[in-house]
Amino acid sequence: MVKTIRQVGLKITVSLLKLLVRSPMTGWRRSPRSTTLKGR
Amino acid sequence: MSRITPRSVVLGIGGLLGHDANAALVVDGRLIASSQEERHTRLKHDGAFPHRAIAECLALAGLTPHEVTDAVFAEKGLQSHLFDLTGRTGNVFTRALGRVLPEGWGNLYGQQARRLLPQAKFHHAWHHLSHVAGAFHTSPFERAAFLCVDGKGEDYSASAGVIDHGELKLLWEQPYENGLGMFYTVITYFLGFVSFGSEYKVMGLAPYGEPRYVEELSRLFTTDDRGGFRLHREIRFTEQSIIAAFPWVTKLTGIAVRKKSDSLDQVHIDLASSLQHIFEEEVFKMARFLRTETGEENLLFCGGCAQNCVAAGKLRSKKIFTAVFNSPVGGDMGSGLGASLLFERERRCGLPFKADTRGFYLGGDPGPVPAGARPWQMKFDGDVHAYIGKQLAIGKIVAVVRGGMELGARALGARSIFADPRAPGMQSRLNLAVKFRESFRPFAPAILAEYTGEWFDSADESDYMNYTAYLRPELRASLPEKFSSLRERLDFPRCSIPSVIHVDFSARLQTIRPEVHPDFHKFVTAFHALTGVPILINTSFNVAGQPIVRTAVEGWDCFVNTDIDLLVLNDEIFRNPFEKTREEKLTWLKQFAKLA
């Protein structure tokens, strides 16, 4: 039961995330990543 | 007797993305060992936690897991899964989430690693930076631009920037689910090559065809003059997602999907040729963009797509950059090595260092000869290299298991099969009776480095079989206008060393130098002394679907199930009993068939 609720919750969350966000358009984009292991 | 504990014992661990698990060990700044889990578990591309590979690395260093001070994962598991889950990459929201949540979450290896390495601090590297550090610190360059292209980093497929000993600038990236690597993989599967990592088969097939379907394939993506590439459909790195894209490919190109069991027709071969053509053009555009933007003279080409040695060879000969270094372990099998070097780089705070790769013979020795082999041991006079040189010259096929095992996808002479490249029909014989794989697959020539320019259009080094070159025009036979079949084209005597020269006269070279390949150099030299040809066929010692053999026991097992004539185990030579029937061999082969 708990497992089913979790799965449904996860699916809803993922669907909401997909609605909220879109991927950027084609091509190279500037990378914002830190290049150190300590940084994020 | 007490032993001084080293200050820094760094273990790089790769494979979190679910395949090619591996480990590498750097002790006090010195690269000691590196190993792939598949070589131990005998499951090709095994992505399970690499505890056997770790154990081998530690054993070679004489250390215990408790002495590991730092463990560096070559990927960020959470970020990778998060982007897979949402199917959205590179946007503000998911990236912010990826930054806020701890890096350790989603690390499939985390629990086992913590249990195994109680004293270690854990670090997580961006996947492409592991590739870049692995390439740079094993390259001859002091500074370079880098181009890393693969199927999937955490949420990107290509990245580019500049690196020297003190500076690592990651400047640009492209999202993964629409990337160039994904495109190559989808069409590879579409062509019926449905096992993981089969892209190199399509690369090998491409020269048999003409790029007649470039226009049709171009309907699947948009691109720009900087190599900014994007598929018109988002596809994830799962078999399910890739297969679901087939109807879309058919709809846009008008070409039907090929099943694995279907015959390989000209349309498929031409499709492979078109795919390779597009791939090369995109890589060249990326390189030109990078050259213009960074002004650098050297280029590091790394990531899984850099294993495409045809593109790498052409990239080098195009001279977009003065020099190109294509990392031999630029794919995921070297990610742990790269992660450990990335950590070492930070530890040194900009002080220059290069890893001594010792020819990438970074694994353990073969171990003892199995007792069952003893009755078949041969007596021979003189030295093993001279004797094997003689046997090769009379057409024998020889397998070798000697010294430390090589890291990476290519056998570099320590776990190899050697044969005479002049022998007519040797390519088919090796493919069908030894390797049990597609007859079109070409073999690589291992050539004494000083003779490369006499045989090929480039005299540049290719120590690790990571570039292609073309046979010199004066050494080529004139070809008929047309061939009636693939078979006829394959068997046509196109030159004096047909087994290692592809139908378009290309070859994936391994240049042999005594300082890089001390043992292998002696075998080729012995063959050269007898025949006047400084070239041997070198192919990995395994059958289709099987990881390269690692130990003497595995070598013997593979040997007796194939038509290889002689086996060199350490310093001893054995002849094949040829006791197994064809049926017994095929039964043995079945265990690897799924992965072939």
Side-chain angles (χ1 to χ4, degrees):
Chain A
M1 181 64 181
V2 174
K3 199 177 169 187
T4 312
I5 292 169
R6 271 190 195 157
Q7 280 175 342
V8 171
L10 186 65
K11 277 188 181 169
I12 292 170
T13 311
V14 168
S15 304
L16 281 174
L17 275 174
K18 284 185 174 181
L19 283 174
L20 279 169
V21 297
R22 295 180 62 183
S23 297
M25 288 311 290
T26 184
W28 292 103
R29 63 190 182 202
R30 281 276 165 188
S31 176
R33 286 169 223 279
S34 163
T35 56
T36 62
L37 285 166
K38 284 174 192 161
R40 301 292 296 276
Chain B
M1 196 172 83
S2 68
R3 182 155 53 86
I4 297 166
T5 306
R7 282 177 296 133
S8 167
V9 179
V10 183
L11 189 65
I13 301 173
L16 266 184
L17 299 180
H19 58 87
D20 291 303
N22 63 89
L25 191 69
V26 174
V27 179
D28 284 336
R30 202 164 74 85
L31 176 60
I32 301 293
S34 187
S35 180
Q36 294 164 249
E37 191 67 2
E38 65 158 32
R39 306 283 157 88
H40 299 264
T41 61
R42 313 307 301 152
L43 295 168
K44 209 166 183 182
H45 301 297
D46 194 354
F49 178 67
H51 61 84
R52 295 171 186 84
I54 292 171
E56 182 177 30
C57 290
L58 289 169
L60 288 169
L63 296 172
T64 67
H66 283 73
E67 291 172 275
V68 174
T69 55
D70 295 274
V72 192
F73 294 99
E75 301 90 10
K76 301 197 183 200
L78 173 69
Q79 281 73 2
S80 179
H81 300 316
L82 181 70
F83 299 130
D84 261 350
L85 204 60
T86 60
R88 299 288 190 275
T89 69
N91 57 70
V92 177
F93 190 79
T94 44
R95 188 169 294 156
L97 210 54
R99 289 169 73 99
V100 172
L101 297 173
E103 288 176 327
W105 290 13
N107 183 344
L108 301 175
Y109 297 165
Q111 206 177 0
Q112 294 171 84
R114 278 192 297 276
R115 209 178 297 146
L116 180 67
L117 311 165
Q119 308 294 330
K121 284 183 200 153
F122 291 95
H123 314 268
H124 294 77
W126 290 115
H127 185 56
H128 277 198
L129 293 187
S130 302
H131 285 321
V132 172
F136 177 67
H137 292 289
T138 59
S139 79
F141 301 150
E142 292 305 311
R143 63 174 294 126
F146 63 81
L147 175 62
C148 185
V149 189
D150 68 5
K152 180 183 180 337
E154 284 77 10
D155 62 323
Y156 44 90
S157 62
S159 53
V162 175
I163 184 169
D164 69 17
H165 291 290
E167 179 186 53
L168 172 51
K169 276 192 198 161
L170 180 53
L171 296 171
W172 302 280
E173 61 186 34
Q174 296 190 29
Y176 106 82
E177 76 277 43
N178 321 81
L180 186 59
M182 177 59 80
F183 172 60
Y184 209 106
T185 299
V186 168
I187 304 301
T188 296
Y189 274 62
F190 187 81
L191 283 167
F193 299 101
V194 292
S195 55
F196 179 85
S198 292
E199 288 81 0
Y200 66 99
K201 295 181 191 172
V202 175
M203 181 188 77
L205 185 61
Y208 291 100
E210 295 295 329
R212 291 193 295 123
Y213 296 108
V214 169
E215 195 187 324
E216 285 82 352
L217 283 178
S218 298
R219 294 174 198 148
L220 302 177
F221 60 87
T222 53
T223 181
D224 58 30
D225 58 2
R226 308 188 311 172
F229 185 95
R230 191 169 174 116
L231 278 174
H232 291 313
R233 179 187 169 110
E234 290 175 357
I235 303 166
R236 285 185 288 152
F237 239 103
T238 63
E239 199 171 283
Q240 211 178 3
S241 183
I242 291 168
I243 290 170
F246 289 172
W248 168 72
V249 176
T250 298
K251 191 180 162 192
L252 290 186
T253 61
I255 300 166
V257 63
R258 174 183 173 263
K259 286 183 192 153
K260 193 177 179 182
S261 52
D262 291 350
S263 64
L264 202 54
D265 300 330
Q266 197 57 44
V267 60
H268 307 122
I269 298 167
D270 289 342
L271 193 62
S273 182
S274 309
L275 173 65
Q276 179 67 21
H277 176 83
I278 292 169
F279 177 80
E280 289 167 12
E281 289 302 316
E282 292 303 313
V283 169
F284 300 155
K285 283 195 284 182
M286 289 179 186
R288 280 190 207 103
F289 160 64
L290 204 50
R291 177 80 172 94
T292 309
E293 291 291 319
T294 65
E296 294 292 333
E297 295 197 339
N298 303 320
L299 177 70
L300 298 168
F301 185 37
C302 55
C305 290
Q307 303 286 295
N308 192 312
C309 55
V310 177
K314 289 182 182 173
L315 183 60
R316 184 161 72 166
S317 63
K318 274 195 173 288
K319 294 289 174 195
I320 299 168
F321 282 83
T322 309
V324 173
F325 180 75
N326 178 26
S327 171
V329 291
D332 285 352
M333 74 292 287
S335 59
L337 172 67
S340 58
L341 294 178
L342 188 67
F343 181 89
E344 183 59 24
R345 170 191 175 81
E346 274 194 37
R347 197 176 75 88
R348 295 196 179 215
C349 301
L351 288 175
F353 87 100
K354 290 286 179 187
D356 177 10
T357 58
R358 307 187 302 282
F360 287 94
Y361 300 112
L362 293 168
D365 288 333
V369 172
R374 286 293 168 208
W376 309 101
Q377 187 172 353
M378 297 172 68
K379 287 194 175 128
F380 61 96
D381 295 326
D383 127 291
V384 67
H385 301 101
Y387 182 81
I388 291 300
K390 260 186 233 167
Q391 297 301 311
L392 288 164
I394 58 169
K396 300 284 185 192
I397 299 174
V398 180
V400 170
V401 181
R402 281 161 68 87
M405 173 147 200
E406 48 275 77
L407 178 71
R410 313 272 172 241
L412 301 173
R415 304 290 185 279
S416 286
I417 298 169
F418 302 147
D420 184 349
R422 303 168 304 164
M426 185 59 88
Q427 182 175 355
S428 293
R429 191 178 154 203
L430 276 173
N431 270 328
L432 300 175
V434 174
K435 304 277 284 187
F436 300 100
R437 65 184 201 182
E438 299 90 342
S439 62
F440 69 81
R441 303 268 297 276
F443 289 100
I447 179 168
L448 295 177
E450 61 271 32
Y451 293 96
T452 312
E454 290 179 21
W455 287 80
F456 295 96
D457 66 347
S458 164
D460 293 339
E461 61 76 24
S462 178
D463 291 337
Y464 308 110
M465 237 186 257
N466 40 350
Y467 304 94
T468 51
Y470 288 82
L471 189 72
R472 292 186 69 86
E474 64 270 25
L475 301 176
R476 303 176 186 181
S478 55
L479 302 180
E481 290 269 307
K482 214 174 171 188
F483 292 99
S484 61
S485 67
L486 185 70
R487 175 90 265 153
E488 191 193 346
R489 191 167 182 195
L490 189 62
D491 290 341
F492 188 84
R494 50 195 173 274
C495 62
S496 63
I497 47 170
S499 304
V500 289
I501 301 297
H502 216 345
V503 290
D504 62 347
F505 296 105
S506 66
R508 193 185 64 208
L509 287 187
Q510 184 186 9
T511 50
I512 306 295
R513 295 187 287 152
E515 60 272 32
V516 182
H517 322 89
D519 190 57
F520 192 7
H521 186 266
K522 290 177 188 165
F523 283 117
V524 189
T525 303
F527 180 77
H528 178 224
L530 289 169
T531 63
V533 175
I535 302 170
L536 276 180
I537 296 175
N538 175 21
T539 184
S540 54
F541 187 11
N542 60 347
V543 296
Q546 183 193 37
I548 302 175
V549 306
R550 184 176 66 90
T551 63
V553 173
E554 290 159 10
W556 177 256
D557 186 41
C558 188
F559 177 57
V560 296
N561 282 292
T562 62
D563 285 356
I564 300 169
D565 298 300
L566 299 171
L567 173 64
V568 183
L569 292 177
N570 302 317
D571 286 325
E572 296 166 315
I573 302 176
F574 300 83
R575 67 184 172 85
N576 197 327
F578 289 114
E579 284 177 327
K580 299 263 176 108
T581 63
R582 177 92 185 151
E583 285 67 36
E584 283 173 323
K585 287 178 185 176
L586 292 175
T587 306
W588 175 79
L589 265 178
K590 271 184 190 165
Q591 61 184 307
F592 312 114
K594 264 192 255 170
L595 298 166

